[in-house]
């Protein structure tokens, strides 16, 4: 499995590096660390610029200036996991990957259906792979039609062992936590309420997606540590403020997985799509507030006044995330589709997740008995 973490680790990429780490912990994986060569940034920028209009269809097979790596042994599986399509040409730095690997798997997290017609000059390169996975459910059918073959949906996840508040249950000292994209009206209402009522509203003060953390693991640890100390966690559908990209396609954003795994009460809007109904089917997965911010303060006051209900919502979120949304479940499904069995280490990790979920359930029962 190749990784670009040594030369590109913007904040939004760290979660997929987390996914890679989970597979490395659970499988016998050679993680190939790609390195930029001379003039890499310029070459990559030019390749991205002309990839859409390359009628020769050859540019997608060009190395964008990375140091070449030659595989010197046979492998059962080759895996490339891309944040979006512009990471795809990185595979061209690996010499011999098609000849030395029996199965080839490509997982591209972010592809919007509206963009597929614009990808006509490079999309054919995906047919080099035995299995193609995409992170957005609404993209699976149009991408399959464009390629003339079946692609697969592979939703997002988290390292649930990192994000879960169990067994330590740290105090929830942050009242409201907001990361990344947000509704401006809700943000204004929360800022005003925080100034007047004195609750702790923690939010980004800069566009953090393109910031490069020193280390992806430390970045994810920090995010997880804050999230599991937060009472309320803001959520909204993917790319909520970028309709020019989504073109009406509604998908489940990263925040839902992180907020649920941390055992916070998620407040915002549940995406109106089948994917969300399948992934988060339990009651109160998201407590609804209006995008115009008119009721956010009232909803928070109501939830804070009903301590038992808020605690139950948070516990349910944490339990369901432990049982559904760890990266190991995604990798198991990828292996299943590829005709491979899960490893013993995967089964051990899954057993640990189930044990933590059971502990959370027992905590809920003890709390109920104490009330009675």
């Amino acid at each position: 499995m190749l990784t670009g973490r040594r030369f590109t680790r913007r904040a939004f990429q760290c979660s997929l590096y987390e996914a890679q780490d989970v597979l490395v912990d659970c499988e016998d994986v050679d993680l190939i660390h790609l390195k930029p060569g001379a003039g890499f940034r310029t070459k990559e920028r030019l390749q991205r610029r002309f990839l859409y209009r390359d009628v020769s269809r050859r540019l997608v097979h060009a190395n964008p200036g990375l140091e070449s790596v030659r595989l010197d042994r046979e492998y059962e599986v080759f895996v490339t996991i891309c944040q979006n399509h512009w990471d795809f040409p990185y595979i061209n730095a690996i010499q011999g990957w098609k000849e030395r690997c029996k199965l080839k798997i490509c997982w591209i997290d972010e592809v919007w259906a509206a963009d597929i017609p614009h990808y006509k000059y490079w999309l054919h390169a995906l047919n080099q792979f035995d299995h193609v996975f995409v992170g957005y459910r609404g993209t699976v059918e149009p991408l399959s039609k464009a390629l003339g073959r079946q692609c697969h949906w592979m939703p997002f996840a988290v390292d649930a062992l990192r994000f879960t508040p169990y067994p330590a249950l740290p105090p929830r000292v942050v009242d409201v936590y907001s990361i990344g994209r947000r509704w401006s009206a809700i943000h204004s209402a929360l800022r005003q309420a925080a100034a007047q009522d004195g609750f702790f509203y923690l939010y980004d003060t800069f566009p953090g997606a393109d910031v490069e953390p020193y280390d992806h693991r430390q970045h994810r640890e920090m995010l997880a540590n804050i999230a599991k100390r937060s009472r309320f966690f803001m959520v909204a559908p993917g790319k909520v403020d970028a309709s020019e990209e989504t073109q009406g396609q509604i998908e489940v954003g990263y925040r839902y997985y992180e907020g649920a795994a941390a055992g916070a009460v998620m407040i915002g809007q549940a995406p109106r799509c089948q994917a969300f109904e399948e992934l988060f089917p339990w009651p109160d997965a998201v407590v609804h507030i209006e995008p115009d911010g008119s009721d956010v303060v009232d909803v928070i006051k109501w939830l804070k006044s009903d301590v038992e209900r808020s605690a139950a919502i948070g516990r349910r979120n944490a339990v369901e995330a432990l049982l559904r949304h760890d990266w190991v479940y995604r990798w198991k499904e990828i292996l299943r589709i590829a005709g491979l069995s899960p490893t013993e280490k995967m089964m051990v990790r899954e057993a640990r997740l189930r044990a933590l979920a059971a502990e959370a359930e027992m905590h809920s029962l003890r709390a109920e008995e104490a009330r009675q």
Side-chain angles (χ1 to χ4, degrees):
M1 179 169 61
L2 60 86
T3 183
R5 65 183 65 185
R6 288 186 177 174
F7 66 91
T8 176
R9 54 176 178 273
R10 286 174 288 181
F12 66 86
Q13 296 172 312
C14 292
S15 51
L16 289 185
Y17 294 150
E18 179 183 85
Q20 292 180 337
D21 289 343
V22 170
L23 182 62
V24 170
D25 287 344
C26 293
E27 265 282 11
D28 181 14
V29 179
D30 280 352
L31 193 62
I32 301 173
H33 292 272
L34 299 176
K35 300 177 183 178
F40 164 68
R41 293 299 180 191
T42 300
K43 293 175 183 178
E44 183 187 41
R45 186 168 57 251
L46 289 173
Q47 185 181 46
R48 290 182 180 181
R49 179 180 177 183
F50 292 108
L51 198 59
Y52 299 98
R53 61 194 78 171
D54 176 33
V55 295
S56 74
R57 301 173 185 259
R58 293 196 297 267
L59 191 57
V60 70
H61 299 291
N63 181 349
L66 297 167
E67 292 184 4
S68 294
V69 177
R70 180 175 292 279
L71 300 186
D72 57 4
R73 51 163 289 191
E74 303 294 318
Y75 289 93
E76 189 174 11
V77 184
F78 176 85
V79 176
T80 181
I81 178 170
C82 307
Q83 181 72 45
N84 31 41
H85 70 280
W86 60 64
D87 294 342
F88 183 76
Y90 294 166
I91 63 171
N92 300 315
I94 312 299
Q95 299 180 25
W97 67 272
K98 286 184 284 187
E99 296 78 19
R100 288 194 173 270
C101 302
K102 295 178 182 178
L103 279 173
K104 296 91 173 175
I105 294 171
C106 180
W107 180 0
I108 302 183
D109 183 58
E110 184 177 333
V111 178
W112 295 97
D115 288 331
I116 291 175
H118 305 297
Y119 295 165
K120 60 182 179 181
Y121 293 135
W122 70 265
L123 212 56
H124 64 282
L126 291 175
N127 285 322
Q128 300 173 98
F129 292 87
D130 299 293
H131 302 283
V132 176
F133 297 86
V134 65
Y136 293 160
R137 180 166 187 151
T139 302
V140 173
E141 183 177 350
L143 183 61
S144 297
K145 288 182 178 178
L147 293 177
R149 52 180 291 195
Q150 183 61 52
C151 298
H152 305 278
W153 176 42
M154 193 50 55
F156 196 73
V158 293
D159 181 344
L161 296 177
R162 171 176 285 157
F163 274 80
T164 188
Y166 293 95
L169 289 177
R172 296 197 176 267
V173 294
V174 178
D175 290 301
V176 183
Y177 188 25
S178 176
I179 314 168
R181 299 175 186 272
R182 61 197 176 209
W183 294 109
S184 59
I186 293 175
H187 177 58
S188 296
L190 286 171
R191 285 186 60 230
Q192 182 177 354
Q196 293 174 350
D197 299 338
F199 69 82
F200 188 6
Y201 174 39
L202 183 60
Y203 55 89
D204 293 340
T205 56
F206 51 85
D210 287 329
V211 171
E212 290 207 356
Y214 294 116
D215 178 89
H216 76 276
R217 293 185 184 89
Q218 293 180 29
H219 177 72
R220 296 296 288 173
E221 287 168 5
M222 181 199 69
L223 194 159
N225 283 329
I226 296 174
K228 60 191 173 186
R229 288 167 174 80
S230 301
R231 299 176 71 176
F232 306 109
F233 192 90
M234 301 301 303
V235 292
K239 293 287 181 77
V240 66
D241 59 351
S243 57
E244 71 283 356
E245 290 185 53
T246 64
Q247 294 294 303
Q249 183 176 344
I250 300 175
E251 297 289 347
V252 182
Y254 295 177
R255 302 290 88 89
Y256 298 93
Y257 302 92
E258 295 160 350
V265 177
M266 296 190 287
I267 58 175
Q269 302 81 38
R272 296 180 178 177
C273 59
Q274 185 177 353
F276 183 81
E277 294 174 2
E278 293 182 16
L279 293 165
F280 296 84
W282 57 93
D284 292 325
V286 175
V287 178
H288 181 80
I289 58 174
E290 296 298 327
D292 64 6
S294 58
D295 62 348
V296 61
V297 175
D298 290 337
V299 169
I300 288 175
K301 287 181 178 178
W302 163 60
L303 288 167
K304 289 177 75 172
S305 68
D306 194 340
V307 177
E308 293 178 3
R309 179 172 183 178
S310 295
I313 291 172
R315 279 195 297 270
R316 188 184 302 118
N317 285 346
V319 168
E320 296 288 355
L322 285 165
L323 297 176
R324 297 170 183 265
H325 297 317
D326 185 76
W327 286 117
V328 75
Y329 302 125
R330 308 300 187 250
W331 288 118
K332 279 184 63 180
E333 179 63 7
I334 287 173
L335 293 182
R336 185 194 69 78
I337 291 173
L340 302 172
S341 300
T343 65
E344 182 177 347
K345 288 183 179 179
M346 285 183 171
M347 305 308 291
V348 169
R349 182 181 179 96
E350 190 171 348
R352 186 180 175 193
L353 292 163
R354 289 197 301 268
L356 283 170
E359 183 171 344
E361 293 280 19
M362 287 300 299
H363 186 276
S364 178
L365 290 173
R366 289 194 294 268
E368 181 65 26
E369 291 172 356
R371 285 194 298 269
Q372 295 175 355

